[in-house]
Amino acid sequence: LYLDSFKKTKLVMLIGGAEQLTYGIANGTGYRADCLGDWGMWGPGWNHMVNSYPPAIEESQADDAWMHAPIAFEACGTGTTWYTDGMGGNLSKEETRDITIQQSLDWHISVMNLLYGVNYDNMPNEWVETYNEWAKKMGYRYVLRQLAHPSVISAGGRLNLEMDWDNVGVAPCYYAYPLAVRFRDTASGESWEMRTDEDLRTWLPGEVSIDPLLNVPGDIPAGEYALELALLDPHYGTPRIKLAVDGAVGDGWDGWRTITER
């Protein structure tokens, strides 16, 4: 029923039950597991991190599910009790926490629920910073490493861009937010927008090089323009995803260079 009813929204299937999870994964869902960080919290001799999740993922052929749908986890306990009460096992709380975080990244996590929020007042700064760094690595995180473009363009002509991107996260974006370029007159604020045909869903972790060729608007006057980029909401046309770079111009777009129109 869910697969029939939700054609655009990505779905996740609760992990466990090999037949059911296999069916969900085969039909395009991700999975959700709700006891991340259990290394013996329910008693000795069995835990979710070793005895539950790995065999469930293998039996359901879900290793590559992250390539097409989100992987979501929920803490066993909470992000606060990991510090106050521990997570089971024989290692220190910090070692157990770090192993859990790395394993979640190896499983290509996009969503983490630490349950009821984390009470930062009860934890040292090192734990707070560790959680913040973990959040930066979940899902996608797009960095523009290099951008090359002509210094002069003509109205109604073509604009060739060469871009080297790096997805430093562990998963792609699962929705087709268009990559857009705009020219902005820094004096008047007037702008002209062009959208590329790039499919953000194919930008897996690692480097991505693209060379979009765009049509320059025919009504743009001669002058100097700021060249800016954004990943847009396809419905509202406003910037949706914040890039992991410096250069924000205040309205969600990121500024890079100036370009002359003649």
Side-chain angles (χ1 to χ4, degrees):
L1 292 175
Y2 276 94
L3 290 168
D4 287 342
S5 300
F6 293 90
K7 298 299 186 181
K8 297 179 180 179
T9 302
K10 290 295 182 179
L11 304 176
V12 293
M13 177 75 181
L14 185 63
I15 201 168
E19 181 180 357
Q20 290 80 13
L21 184 57
T22 300
Y23 173 83
I25 297 299
N27 284 278
T29 77
Y31 64 83
R32 174 185 177 274
D34 59 4
C35 214
L36 187 77
D38 165 36
W39 293 93
M41 298 169 69
W42 300 90
W46 187 94
N47 64 72
H48 283 83
M49 296 298 293
V50 174
N51 306 110
S52 177
Y53 297 156
I57 293 170
E58 181 179 2
E59 292 171 9
S60 304
Q61 302 177 40
D63 294 276
D64 296 331
W66 64 274
M67 292 186 177
H68 60 253
I71 307 303
F73 287 103
E74 183 176 288
C76 213
T78 72
T80 303
T81 63
W82 283 6
Y83 170 69
T84 57
D85 303 334
M87 305 156 70
N90 300 319
L91 300 177
S92 70
K93 291 185 290 186
E94 288 75 16
E95 289 174 313
T96 309
R97 174 204 66 196
D98 292 346
I99 290 172
T100 301
I101 288 174
Q102 185 56 55
Q103 184 59 70
S104 76
L105 297 173
D106 291 342
W107 282 326
H108 300 276
I109 179 176
S110 280
V111 179
M112 179 63 199
N113 179 11
L114 283 173
L115 282 170
Y116 317 118
V118 180
N119 188 343
Y120 288 162
D121 294 336
N122 294 332
M123 289 190 297
N125 289 337
E126 188 271 337
W127 276 74
V128 176
E129 289 304 314
T130 297
Y131 284 153
N132 288 338
E133 289 302 312
W134 183 18
K136 291 180 182 178
K137 297 174 183 177
M138 296 180 198
Y140 51 82
R141 186 172 174 85
Y142 298 122
V143 180
L144 179 60
R145 300 295 188 190
Q146 182 170 293
L147 168 62
H149 63 85
S151 58
V152 179
I153 52 103
S154 298
R158 305 276 269 177
L159 172 64
N160 180 236
L161 301 175
E162 296 178 4
M163 300 182 185
D164 293 331
W165 291 86
D166 194 357
N167 180 359
V168 297
V170 296
C173 177
Y174 299 106
Y175 295 98
Y177 299 129
L179 171 63
V181 177
R182 78 175 180 183
F183 297 136
R184 182 173 60 87
D185 186 322
T186 56
S188 68
E190 190 174 10
S191 63
W192 289 260
E193 178 186 308
M194 298 157 284
R195 296 190 182 189
T196 73
D197 294 327
E198 296 300 321
D199 189 346
L200 200 61
R201 295 168 296 182
T202 66
W203 291 16
L204 300 180
E207 298 177 353
V208 179
S209 295
I210 61 174
D211 55 353
L213 185 61
L214 302 172
N215 295 316
V216 178
D219 60 345
I220 182 171
E224 294 281 334
Y225 292 89
L227 177 62
E228 299 169 348
L229 306 174
L231 292 166
L232 303 179
D233 185 299
H235 303 293
Y236 298 103
T238 54
R240 179 65 182 268
I241 297 176
K242 180 176 174 58
L243 302 179
V245 295
D246 294 325
V249 296
D251 61 353
W253 290 76
D254 285 280
W256 293 95
R257 313 278 180 83
T258 58
I259 192 167
T260 300
E261 196 288 320
R262 65 182 183 189

